[in-house]
Amino acid sequence: MEGNRFAYRRWGNEGSGQPPLFFLQHFRGGMDHWDPMITDGLAAGREVILYGYRGCASSTGVPRMLIEDIADDAAMVIRALGLSKVDVVGFSLGGMVAQDLTRRHPELVRKLLLLGTQPRGGNPDPDPKIFDTAPRPVPTIDDFLFLFFGPSEAAKRAGRDFWERRHQRQDQDPPCSPELMQAQIAANIAFVGPLDPEKPFAHLGEIMQPTLVINGVNDVMIATVNSWHMVQNIPNAQLIVYSPAGHGAQFQYPERFLKHAIQFLDE
């Protein structure tokens, strides 16, 4: 499309009668940064589509520098796959993309899951340590434990279990480029400002789709209060906070997340 190739993986239960579940990933994340326990668990009941942004890992092209452009790319890919309706899972930066996808292309989205993310005009103050950790050229397991999981020993064990699961696939997506990282930093900075300073969350009222917001009680990447702002202002939203957990709460408690996600999608 437009001379670029967008990487995706699609599998699961085609005969479920449910829309496919379309995944939008976090900052610098590729298709293999999802937890296979979650994606395979969800694929048992419906189709699952993992997708790589323009210029991310296996996808080609110049990375986008605005969230709304990334969202328009996602809409283009959904239509190119011949789909008229999907359910959307957006994590962190992917949750920002999911919000704009839903606002700009509401006819494509049936239900919305927003994980560890924030709205436009939200609280932009993360733990200062992330500015050294998140952009590190080659992330380590210790980086992931700090960024995604709580500080307890149980959380760290869950984080190491996740790390092992996400490296099980033999043909891993290649790492994302420095250019992709810089473009996503610019996109995030542009997204943080409110559309209307007097009514910073008014735009969330445009999201009429049923929405499930999930976060950890202590998110060092995107302050947990942002999840409360979203559920207060999206008309048909509900919030679940996992404790103790951090930014990647769904990775710390994959079985719990699967139950909540499946119940939400099926009801």
Side-chain angles (χ1 to χ4, degrees):
M1 291 177 289
E2 300 179 353
N4 298 308
R5 299 178 63 189
F6 290 84
Y8 69 94
R9 296 181 189 144
R10 182 177 182 179
W11 78 101
N13 185 348
E14 296 181 30
S16 68
Q18 301 274 12
L21 194 54
F22 194 82
F23 283 73
L24 298 165
Q25 186 57 289
H26 62 71
F27 174 65
R28 299 177 68 190
M31 292 184 287
D32 289 306
H33 288 80
W34 292 108
D35 188 335
M37 182 181 293
I38 289 174
T39 53
D40 288 343
L42 289 167
R46 69 202 69 240
E47 277 194 288
V48 160
I49 301 172
L50 308 186
Y51 157 67
Y53 305 121
R54 184 188 299 252
C56 177
S58 300
S59 295
T60 66
V62 177
R64 298 292 205 181
M65 298 181 68
L66 291 172
I67 294 295
E68 53 264 43
D69 292 337
I70 303 173
D72 288 348
D73 276 352
M76 180 174 60
V77 168
I78 290 167
R79 292 189 176 103
L81 291 172
L83 301 171
S84 59
K85 192 79 71 176
V86 294
D87 294 330
V88 176
V89 179
F91 174 37
S92 195
L93 180 137
M96 304 173 199
V97 177
Q99 292 170 63
D100 271 12
L101 170 63
T102 305
R103 290 177 55 242
R104 295 167 70 84
H105 307 276
E107 73 284 356
L108 292 179
V109 180
R110 185 191 70 145
K111 291 188 177 183
L112 183 61
L113 287 89
L114 299 175
L115 316 177
T117 192
Q118 67 182 34
R120 293 180 182 273
N123 181 336
D125 297 322
D127 186 312
K129 186 179 173 182
I130 76 160
F131 297 111
D132 293 325
T133 307
R136 204 185 308 278
V138 182
T140 67
I141 185 171
D142 288 333
D143 295 335
F144 269 87
L145 292 177
F146 167 70
L147 293 171
F148 288 84
F149 295 86
S152 71
E153 287 305 313
K156 291 176 181 178
R157 285 195 300 272
R160 292 187 181 95
D161 289 343
F162 161 74
W163 184 264
E164 289 183 9
R165 292 194 301 270
R166 65 146 291 220
H167 285 94
Q168 287 173 352
R169 187 182 176 96
Q170 296 301 309
D171 55 335
Q172 292 268 313
D173 223 13
C176 290
S177 67
E179 292 76 18
L180 184 280
M181 179 177 70
Q182 293 303 321
Q184 289 189 339
I185 290 173
N188 183 80
I189 292 171
F191 185 86
V192 167
L195 295 175
D196 181 350
E198 295 185 1
K199 298 179 180 178
F201 304 123
H203 64 285
L204 294 174
E206 302 169 19
I207 299 176
M208 304 307 297
Q209 288 81 349
T211 301
L212 177 61
V213 181
I214 291 180
N215 205 344
V217 71
N218 184 28
D219 187 337
V220 299
M221 291 277 282
I222 297 176
T224 305
V225 69
N226 287 291
S227 295
W228 179 244
H229 292 318
M230 289 188 294
V231 81
Q232 280 187 307
N233 291 278
I234 296 173
N236 190 11
Q238 55 187 305
L239 171 64
I240 302 175
V241 176
Y242 294 170
S243 179
H247 186 59
Q250 69 278 3
F251 300 151
Q252 186 167 332
Y253 297 105
E255 296 95 342
R256 184 184 303 179
F257 171 75
L258 273 173
K259 291 178 181 178
H260 287 146
I262 291 169
Q263 180 182 35
F264 169 71
L265 291 167
D266 287 350
E267 66 186 8

